[in-house]
Amino acid sequence: MSEHPSRDADAAPGADAAEGAVTASGADAASGADAAEETEAQGETGGAGGPGGGGVQVRFVTGAGGAGRTTVAAALARTGGARTALITTEPAPPRTTAASPAAVEVIAVDVVADFRDRVADVQRGGGDLLDQFGAQPLESDEVTELPGATALAVLRALREAVAAGHRRIVVDLPPAAEAVRLLLLPAQLDRYLGRLMPAERQAARALRPMLAQLAGVPMPARRLYEVGERLRAECTALAELVESVGSTAVLVVEPGASTVRTVAETRAGMALAGVPVTALIANRMVPDGGDAWQADWAAEQRAVCKELAGAAGPVPVVELPHLGGVSDPTEQLAVALAAADLDATGLDAADGDAADADAGTTVADARGADAVTGAAVPSEAGAGTGAAAANASRARDASRGVGRWVEDRLSEEGELVWWLPLPGARKEQLALVRRGDEAIVTVGPYRRALPLPAALRRCTVAGARLTEGGLAVRFRPDPALWPRSR
């Protein structure tokens, strides 16, 4: 019996449920009830681009603090057609009334009310357990939101907007650093809940009566497990929605001294979260002319935009004018954005294909939970050629906006290469650690545990390099685990 490793690598995204939404290839590989179950799950989730989403377009708008993100988000929403929604946490959302009959529905997220509802739901589910230990339930008016409440409330509102039939959804996110963490949160919570409630919990349920007698303390009620399972299912659905093919990001900045660094860091973080950046908005551009002070300011902004365009590759930089004392610039900005036609950029201009310089990175390979060893991996000659070849023949996960793929080099070099798009990442801010069947990727202040595709779990890490806007991780088959041909 023989197994073709490249076929295993191609099927990995669909085979690993923890890695993201169900892909077309994954659905084809499933059989009978499993395939029907996957399709039904996608329909209930209403993921963008999935059967339930029907090609829904989701635009996450973030950027530097004070750069006008909310106003730009409202203007983007106004450029949409029918069934457009704007999701925001602003207490006074901007006006989005358009001249066309297709009005924008503004969904104002009440984070406090949402968090109180979730706490009440958990308390109802775990009421028996709380009674057993004499715990006092929290009253609604004494509940205050915890870190992460905003992220979950916004993403739940997004999921409800998709389920309601909105075809185009603009999400007004917090400033860049907080926005990246917001988008990373569902996948992180899904992973944590999976570790806390593994499949083996079914055995624990069967043994609960005996364990209760031995311990002398009633064991947690079945209802508590059901609440945990429902929470995890929701986190899984939210993570799939964030990374679905219709989800993209727009970064809004006001060109200045720190703009290039902020954009680079945010692009890398967004790629790690699985959301491609498809446009950079340079807001409040000062017109040429005027006095010397204004001329210098305009020249500085133009220089920053030129540097941004050089670093962004195919991602367009759209300049919006400084509208001075206009009380509501939404309409004028909507006209400018409609003229720019950001929808035409599509995923071809998305982050993940921009070219960056070769650089080494730090990589560690540890099968155990604790032992981690690492070594600097130098850059390799000819990396650009290999990346170009991979770009032409790679097998992307069709359900995702950011493509992570495995290139088969077994016949030529005896290796498989895992490509992780990380545009804007810098060598000194990048680290990779392998732990079991996961790769822990750190890019600046952001970190994520990515499940390894199935074929790579039977390999050892041979090295890594940062090239062409992404991280290329080389794997060599482990003779003890790799299937042998007969």
Side-chain angles (χ1 to χ4, degrees):
M1 176 179 180
S2 64
E3 181 175 352
H4 197 292
S6 63
R7 179 175 301 172
D8 196 356
D10 291 346
D16 302 329
E19 189 144 82
V22 179
T23 68
S25 60
D28 293 340
S31 61
D34 290 340
E37 203 171 304
E38 287 173 350
T39 304
E40 182 180 354
Q42 271 195 332
E44 291 176 355
T45 300
V56 177
Q57 181 191 78
V58 179
R59 276 234 167 94
F60 297 107
V61 181
T62 184
R69 303 180 320 279
T70 299
T71 304
V72 171
L76 271 174
R78 289 185 59 165
T79 64
R83 305 299 295 165
T84 297
L86 170 65
I87 299 175
T88 180
T89 57
E90 291 293 321
R95 185 170 61 87
T96 57
T97 304
S100 66
V104 176
E105 179 181 351
V106 178
I107 302 173
V109 180
D110 188 336
V111 178
V112 175
D114 181 87
F115 186 73
R116 287 177 176 175
D117 289 344
R118 302 302 160 180
V119 170
D121 184 51
V122 171
Q123 289 187 149
R124 282 192 297 270
D128 295 342
L129 183 64
L130 294 174
D131 292 340
Q132 290 170 7
F133 288 95
Q136 183 69 30
L138 295 170
E139 298 294 334
S140 178
D141 57 0
E142 65 178 319
V143 174
T144 57
E145 67 273 21
L146 296 175
T150 298
L152 295 177
V154 168
L155 293 176
R156 271 192 291 263
L158 172 59
R159 187 183 179 193
E160 291 171 1
V162 172
H166 291 288
R167 307 286 297 177
R168 191 169 187 268
I169 305 170
V170 179
V171 186
D172 174 27
L173 293 182
E178 187 179 347
V180 173
R181 293 187 176 93
L182 182 153
L183 297 176
L184 285 168
L185 184 62
Q188 292 171 336
L189 290 178
D190 183 31
R191 177 175 177 263
Y192 294 155
L193 289 170
R195 294 283 289 271
L196 292 172
M197 300 190 328
E200 293 78 10
R201 66 186 181 278
Q202 302 295 336
R205 285 185 186 178
L207 295 174
R208 188 180 299 117
M210 182 184 68
L211 294 174
Q213 291 182 354
L214 293 175
V217 177
M219 298 300 289
R222 192 179 86 178
R223 175 70 172 150
L224 184 62
Y225 284 99
E226 293 173 351
V227 171
E229 290 170 353
R230 190 166 67 251
L231 289 174
R232 189 184 180 196
E234 182 177 25
C235 288
T236 301
L238 293 177
E240 291 176 353
L241 183 55
V242 166
E243 297 190 62
S244 58
V245 72
S247 298
T248 59
V250 173
L251 304 187
V252 182
V253 296
E254 185 173 351
S258 61
T259 299
V260 175
R261 177 179 54 82
T262 300
V263 167
E265 190 173 88
T266 305
R267 290 174 65 202
M270 283 289 181
L272 189 62
V275 181
V277 173
T278 54
L280 305 178
I281 306 294
N283 197 23
R284 299 172 184 158
M285 294 293 292
V286 177
D288 294 324
D291 56 20
W293 177 81
Q294 179 176 327
D296 289 344
W297 186 6
E300 180 184 351
Q301 288 186 325
R302 297 287 183 272
V304 172
C305 286
K306 184 177 180 180
E307 188 175 356
L308 279 177
V315 179
V317 178
V318 179
E319 298 182 4
L320 296 180
H322 196 302
L323 297 178
V326 177
S327 59
D328 182 15
T330 309
E331 182 176 355
Q332 296 178 52
L333 294 180
V335 172
L337 288 170
D341 194 12
L342 297 184
D343 292 337
T345 62
L347 290 180
D348 290 337
D351 269 338
D353 296 321
D356 286 349
D358 252 357
T361 186
T362 301
V363 62
D365 188 358
R367 302 243 175 205
D370 300 318
V372 178
T373 59
V377 179
S379 59
E380 298 183 1
T385 303
N391 211 28
S393 61
R394 64 198 180 199
R396 284 183 179 269
D397 181 343
S399 70
R400 304 242 181 145
V402 170
R404 305 183 186 106
W405 69 95
V406 177
E407 180 188 2
D408 185 355
R409 295 185 183 175
L410 288 173
S411 59
E412 301 87 359
E413 304 172 20
E415 294 180 342
L416 296 171
V417 181
W418 192 26
W419 293 90
L420 306 176
L422 292 173
R426 300 198 309 270
K427 173 186 175 181
E428 61 272 16
Q429 291 188 317
L430 184 62
L432 174 69
V433 175
R434 180 192 181 159
R435 295 200 176 184
D437 291 340
E438 293 181 320
I440 313 297
V441 183
T442 302
V443 184
Y446 312 116
R447 176 178 294 183
R448 182 176 183 182
L450 294 172
L452 291 174
L456 302 185
R457 297 174 188 178
R458 300 190 293 270
C459 301
T460 58
V461 177
R465 66 178 180 273
L466 185 64
T467 178
E468 299 226 359
L471 181 64
V473 189
R474 303 183 348 260
F475 289 81
R476 289 190 184 131
D478 185 338
L481 300 174
W482 194 259
R484 297 181 180 180
S485 300
R486 285 193 290 183

